[in-house]
Amino acid sequence: GDGLHSTPKYIEDSKYYFINGNNLIDGKITIFPSTRCVSYEQYDKHLIILNDNCILLSINGTIGNLSLYSGETVILGKSCCYIKLKDICCRDYIYWFLKSNFVFNYFRNQLTGTTIFNLSLESVRETHILLPPEQEQEDIAKFLQKENKRFMALIAQHSSKRKLLQEYRQSLISSVVTGRIRITQEMI
């Protein structure tokens, strides 16, 4: 299913949040300073009962952001859909499967809209999911989580090196332009 198709009444500050697909980042619900708050009454009125076997997916505007629901006190906007998994599914495995290129390409081919893209609930329901035995699902999910951490560490390391090289390049260009360093024919 998806979230609320209208706008709730907002308040300045509370522990109940109205979220959309942009709040779903790297498997977690991220609350930004700009995330709108609602009263308990609004939360209770629009509450969708979710559990720890649910995955949230962005389906409007930003497509394919994913989050594992972990008891956050949130109301879902229409750009969030929720997937309640059966007990035979390992939530972490399904999360990684939904992040795969296979599913990404399927979703991309199912999009409607020209300015703001939409992924229908029907398309999400019709997504083919390869479902090995539960233990194998858990093993695959653990492996992918471990490899993802290693991969993210490599990205951070190389991003840091790239930033240093960009700073060095800017410094070098500045030194050449201001005449502190002269380039000779032998240097080229």
Side-chain angles (χ1 to χ4, degrees), residues 96 141-154:
W96 287 106
K142 286 177 188 172
F143 173 80
L144 291 172
Q145 183 65 31
K146 182 177 132 189
E147 287 302 305
N148 186 60
K149 284 181 181 176
R150 188 178 68 82
F151 183 65
M152 295 310 285
L154 283 171

Side-chain angles (χ1 to χ4, degrees), residues 92-117:
D92 292 336
Y93 168 79
I94 301 297
Y95 169 82
W96 287 106
F97 191 85
L98 291 172
K99 287 182 68 90
S100 71
N101 282 338
F102 170 78
V103 173
F104 174 79
N105 290 330
Y106 168 72
F107 284 168
R108 187 178 66 213
N109 290 329
Q110 297 299 310
L111 294 176
T112 61
T114 54
T115 306
I116 297 176
F117 293 115

Side-chain angles (χ1 to χ4, degrees), residues 56-70:
L56 304 179
L57 169 69
S58 62
I59 59 170
N60 178 270
T62 303
I63 306 294
N65 286 358
L66 290 164
S67 173
L68 303 173
Y69 180 75
S70 298

Side-chain angles (χ1 to χ4, degrees), residues 68-148:
L68 303 173
Y69 180 75
S70 298
E72 295 87 351
T73 52
V74 296
I75 298 174
L76 305 180
K78 70 178 180 179
S79 66
C80 285
C81 99
Y82 59 92
I83 302 166
K84 290 184 177 181
L85 302 173
K86 295 181 179 183
D87 290 338
I88 61 168
C89 300
C90 170
R91 182 175 78 154
D92 292 336
Y93 168 79
I94 301 297
Y95 169 82
W96 287 106
F97 191 85
L98 291 172
K99 287 182 68 90
S100 71
N101 282 338
F102 170 78
V103 173
F104 174 79
N105 290 330
Y106 168 72
F107 284 168
R108 187 178 66 213
N109 290 329
Q110 297 299 310
L111 294 176
T112 61
T114 54
T115 306
I116 297 176
F117 293 115
N118 297 288
L119 182 64
S120 71
L121 291 176
E122 181 181 348
S123 294
V124 174
R125 287 183 191 109
E126 292 177 357
T127 304
H128 292 279
I129 296 180
L130 304 174
L131 201 60
E134 282 185 74
Q135 186 58 54
E136 193 173 334
Q137 291 177 50
E138 291 173 18
D139 292 344
I140 290 169
K142 286 177 188 172
F143 173 80
L144 291 172
Q145 183 65 31
K146 182 177 132 189
E147 287 302 305
N148 186 60

Side-chain angles (χ1 to χ4, degrees), residues 6-22:
S6 61
T7 304
K9 294 177 184 170
Y10 300 126
I11 63 173
E12 279 303 310
D13 190 37
S14 80
K15 63 180 182 177
Y16 306 102
Y17 298 96
F18 181 68
I19 64 166
N20 60 45
N22 294 326

Side-chain angles (χ1 to χ4, degrees), residues 27-43:
K28 296 183 179 6
I29 295 174
T30 303
I31 303 299
F32 299 106
S34 60
T35 302
R36 305 299 297 263
C37 295
V38 296
S39 67
Y40 173 77
E41 291 75 24
Q42 285 289 299
Y43 169 74

